[in-house]
Amino acid sequence: TMASGYNQSVFNYLKELTSFPDARIKEAMVNCGNNKERALNMLLESGPSEEQKMIQDSLDNNYHQPEDSIYGKGDDELHQAIQNSMKDQLTPEQTMRDEGIPVGLKNVGNTCYVNSLFQTYFMIPQFVKEVLNFCETKSKSGQIAHPLANSGANDESGRERRQKASVELILQLGRLFGYMMRSNRKYVDPTQVLRELVDEYGNRIMIGDQKDVGEFNINLLDRVEEGFKSLKKSDVSHPLEDREEHKRDVNVELKSETSINSSVSAVQDLSESAKNPEEEDNIMVSMFSGKMKEIIKFKEVNEEVSQNESTVPFGQIILDISHKDLNSSWDEQYRSQIENYKTPKNFTTTADRECWVTDLPHIFLFQLQRVVFDTTTGIPIKLNSPFHFEKVIYADRFLEMNKETALKIRDEVNNLKRQKRQLEEALVKFEGYLNESMPLDDMLGHVTDFLGNQLNSEGVDKSSTANALTVFDPDKLGPMGLKPKEVNGLIDVIKAYKSEVTEQIRSMQEQRKRLNNDIEQSYASLTNK
């Protein structure tokens, strides 16, 4: 404790987290009796005029340095438009958010995908806790630095720049999370975090262009993991401490279909089963990585059937949206074929691959594969097909301990899905007859209306309009020489077709609904294990 009445480690922590002037931090510490949380809250809840000054200072420091910008040079007009979009035009009062409204993140030029990731990780209590613990540990040790501002030395390797930037990235994330938790602003500026993002060679990543969010997320997690590794095991609290608090707070539930209580114990047992000391000390692995058994089955040159088994780690799970829902896509991801597989006897063949989860991660990372390469045009395209993502995820069917039962159920489900596909293929013919957008029953209904309208029309006298502008009305074409009885007969026949078509569509929709329910309930039998 310093003679002036404030604690040096608390001062370092607040200085790094808020960037307030030293005098203001010391004043808050003295007023709050060196209580870190109260002092932080006092600083971040400062009046509107000071909030506006901080925002403007941030703008002056970050957006008037084109030679050090995080945005691509590109077209001058586009660059200027991005610069202008980043400047606040709101009054101090307008930047204050209403009570009960979550804090937002500012889009500083095509960074909506980045902000979505930051908000997602902000909703993971254990991740936020580890980031803030990291900041506090670094401030106590006096190791805080700003590497990218001084990393221009020619003799500094890309690896060194990357490691320094990874540490600074977590520190800036901690500052961002601090403002998101304690500030009363409508939104917070993530620019300082973006400035510390580098690639594997230590080069700053250009953020001004839209990027693949999955690729960006992998890079972000790699850098955060590297930053956490800079701390010794004794320097930071264990990431899996206070498990019960973590289970209560996590927003996306991961449950076993047996029951909530058995789920918690099963998930905990699986999550701990394959951890070794080195993995437990790796915060990112502990939170986001699991393990699965990979089984590769193949035939040798003499038709001998063989297989290889290995336990491998997994993180992000990529889902093909063509399968329309989470479980189907996840199942297909774990069942695939490997072309040109080299067997132990050096024979090239096609192998079957299947995976079974042995060690659940505490937090699953899923990525929807919405961008695919179009071989006809030679360019990537984005798929906007709907995808059903369950709010509660049941992982039972993918666990190795349920393999025997799950395989039997999977055969039954595949049969149900084949029936469902047959129904859907038939429904497409009715709902988009002759590849038109209008359902067949609606189409027939319009035809009966059309014929009914002709009964009250005598048609158009074409001879009287030979030398004049001719405008026709589809409801005044007339009966075309047919008697009213004959027209009514046609209407009755078409109505009968419409009634039958409507009934067939309804029947197939009901069958599809029952099949969906059967598919949904199929894996509930695992509760009997």
Side-chain angles (χ1 to χ4, degrees):
T1 303
M2 303 180 64
S4 54
Y6 63 88
N7 184 285
Q8 184 63 55
S9 65
V10 175
F11 173 82
N12 291 342
Y13 174 76
L14 294 174
K15 175 67 175 176
E16 177 57 28
L17 195 60
T18 67
S19 288
F20 274 85
D22 292 0
R24 182 71 185 89
I25 295 175
K26 294 176 183 177
E27 179 184 357
M29 291 174 60
V30 171
N31 290 338
C32 296
N34 283 318
N35 184 289
K36 179 173 59 179
E37 294 296 327
R38 288 171 53 200
L40 177 61
N41 191 61
M42 176 179 287
L43 288 168
L44 295 180
E45 296 295 336
S46 54
S49 59
E50 187 169 349
E51 291 245 357
Q52 183 64 16
K53 180 177 181 300
M54 290 178 63
I55 293 175
Q56 191 58 53
D57 288 345
S58 176
L59 289 170
D60 293 340
N61 291 334
N62 299 330
Y63 304 141
H64 300 292
Q65 302 176 19
E67 71 282 0
D68 193 32
S69 175
I70 61 174
Y71 306 96
K73 302 297 181 183
D75 181 80
D76 290 341
E77 292 184 3
L78 177 61
H79 183 68
Q80 186 60 46
I82 292 175
Q83 294 288 340
N84 291 337
S85 73
M86 295 187 295
K87 295 184 179 180
D88 287 313
Q89 304 295 330
L90 303 178
T91 65
E93 290 75 17
Q94 290 173 321
T95 64
M96 309 296 284
R97 60 189 166 102
D98 298 330
E99 184 177 354
I101 302 299
V103 64
L105 292 176
K106 186 175 184 179
N107 188 336
V108 289
N110 284 339
T111 58
C112 53
Y113 65 100
V114 179
N115 289 350
S116 297
L117 278 178
F118 289 161
Q119 289 281 19
T120 299
Y121 288 120
F122 179 65
M123 297 305 295
I124 303 175
Q126 191 65 24
F127 182 78
V128 175
K129 175 184 175 182
E130 296 301 336
V131 169
L132 295 179
N133 283 347
F134 180 95
C135 296
E136 183 175 13
T137 303
K138 282 292 184 181
S139 67
K140 286 180 179 179
S141 64
Q143 298 178 21
I144 292 173
H146 299 276
L148 290 189
N150 304 297
S151 61
N154 294 329
D155 60 344
E156 187 173 41
S157 69
R159 181 172 178 270
E160 291 172 328
R161 291 197 307 271
R162 188 191 70 220
Q163 290 174 336
K164 289 181 179 179
S166 297
V167 171
E168 185 66 15
L169 172 65
I170 303 180
L171 296 176
Q172 293 298 341
L173 264 178
R175 178 178 295 173
L176 181 70
F177 289 159
Y179 274 100
M180 292 173 73
M181 287 188 296
R182 298 291 184 175
S183 172
N184 55 6
R185 302 177 186 177
K186 284 184 177 178
Y187 58 87
V188 183
D189 190 336
T191 299
Q192 289 297 339
V193 181
L194 302 180
R195 291 174 66 87
E196 304 303 334
L197 284 169
V198 299
D199 60 23
E200 59 181 319
Y201 303 106
N203 300 317
R204 179 172 290 159
I205 294 177
M206 308 302 281
I207 306 294
D209 300 321
Q210 292 200 28
K211 298 182 183 298
D212 178 72
V213 66
E215 180 182 345
F216 181 87
N217 182 52
I218 290 174
N219 185 78
L220 172 66
L221 293 181
D222 284 346
R223 299 289 78 78
V224 172
E225 179 179 2
E226 187 169 32
F228 277 132
K229 285 180 179 178
S230 69
L231 292 182
K232 296 178 181 179
K233 183 176 181 179
S234 59
D235 290 335
V236 67
S237 63
H238 194 284
L240 302 183
E241 287 177 350
D242 202 2
R243 292 178 183 269
E244 294 304 320
E245 178 184 354
H246 172 69
K247 293 182 194 124
R248 286 195 302 270
D249 290 340
V250 72
N251 288 54
V252 178
E253 300 178 62
L254 174 64
K255 295 182 179 179
S256 169
E257 295 181 51
T258 53
S259 68
I260 293 180
N261 291 334
S262 62
S263 164
V264 171
S265 61
V267 169
Q268 181 171 336
D269 291 343
L270 276 168
S271 298
E272 293 175 341
S273 60
K275 300 292 184 187
N276 60 47
E278 288 186 3
E279 290 173 339
E280 289 186 348
D281 197 32
N282 188 319
I283 296 169
M284 303 302 288
V285 169
S286 298
M287 280 194 284
F288 299 108
S289 180
K291 286 185 178 180
M292 62 184 180
K293 179 176 288 186
E294 183 180 59
I295 304 171
I296 300 177
K297 299 179 181 179
F298 54 89
K299 288 184 178 180
E300 284 287 5
V301 65
N302 58 359
E303 295 296 314
E304 176 190 355
V305 178
S306 185
Q307 71 178 41
N308 289 333
E309 294 186 12
S310 60
T311 300
V312 296
F314 73 91
Q316 186 168 266
I317 300 174
I318 299 176
L319 303 175
D320 184 346
I321 66 168
S322 67
H323 300 294
K324 300 180 180 180
D325 66 83
L326 171 65
N327 287 324
S328 297
S329 298
W330 193 353
D331 188 66
E332 289 298 322
Q333 175 70 9
Y334 281 0
R335 314 280 183 269
S336 60
Q337 288 190 326
I338 305 175
E339 301 288 343
N340 300 318
Y341 179 77
K342 283 284 188 181
T343 70
K345 296 181 180 180
N346 207 31
F347 176 60
T348 302
T349 185
T350 298
D352 293 319
R353 171 183 174 269
E354 66 180 58
C355 300
W356 296 94
V357 175
T358 59
D359 184 23
L360 286 169
H362 281 73
I363 299 165
F364 270 104
L365 297 175
F366 294 104
Q367 179 193 347
L368 300 185
Q369 189 176 5
R370 289 197 173 274
V371 178
V372 297
F373 186 77
D374 188 338
T375 55
T376 58
T377 61
I379 59 174
I381 58 173
K382 183 175 181 180
L383 304 177
N384 295 311
S385 306
F387 187 87
H388 179 62
F389 205 107
E390 287 81 356
K391 182 178 179 181
V392 179
I393 301 171
Y394 297 102
D396 307 68
R397 68 193 69 181
F398 306 109
L399 303 182
E400 187 194 25
M401 66 181 186
N402 294 331
K403 178 180 175 180
E404 184 178 346
T405 304
L407 283 175
K408 292 178 182 178
I409 297 173
R410 187 171 184 269
D411 289 338
E412 298 170 2
V413 169
N414 283 340
N415 182 49
L416 294 174
K417 287 183 176 179
R418 279 192 292 271
Q419 296 178 44
K420 179 183 173 183
R421 280 195 297 270
Q422 291 176 341
L423 286 173
E424 290 177 337
E425 289 169 0
L427 278 168
V428 166
K429 296 177 181 179
F430 283 89
E431 295 173 347
Y433 187 65
L434 297 178
N435 295 321
E436 298 295 330
S437 58
M438 183 180 295
L440 180 56
D441 53 344
D442 288 348
M443 193 181 296
L444 292 171
H446 289 308
V447 172
T448 58
D449 293 340
F450 169 79
L451 290 174
N453 291 333
Q454 308 314 316
L455 288 172
N456 301 318
S457 171
E458 297 181 357
V460 178
D461 184 0
K462 297 182 181 179
S463 62
S464 65
T465 61
N467 298 317
L469 180 67
T470 304
V471 178
F472 298 109
D473 185 337
D475 289 331
K476 296 181 179 180
L477 299 180
M480 303 297 288
L482 297 175
K483 297 178 180 180
K485 183 177 181 180
E486 293 174 318
V487 175
N488 283 322
L490 286 174
I491 292 175
D492 289 341
V493 169
I494 295 173
K495 282 184 175 179
Y497 273 117
K498 180 181 183 299
S499 177
E500 179 62 23
V501 166
T502 301
E503 174 59 27
Q504 290 183 10
I505 291 175
R506 186 201 63 77
S507 173
M508 287 189 290
Q509 288 175 337
E510 285 294 322
Q511 292 178 71
R512 181 174 61 179
K513 184 177 179 180
R514 287 196 297 271
L515 285 172
N516 281 333
N517 184 66
D518 291 343
I519 292 170
E520 225 174 84
Q521 298 299 319
S522 293
Y523 287 94
S525 61
L526 291 174
T527 59
N528 298 324
K529 284 176 65 70

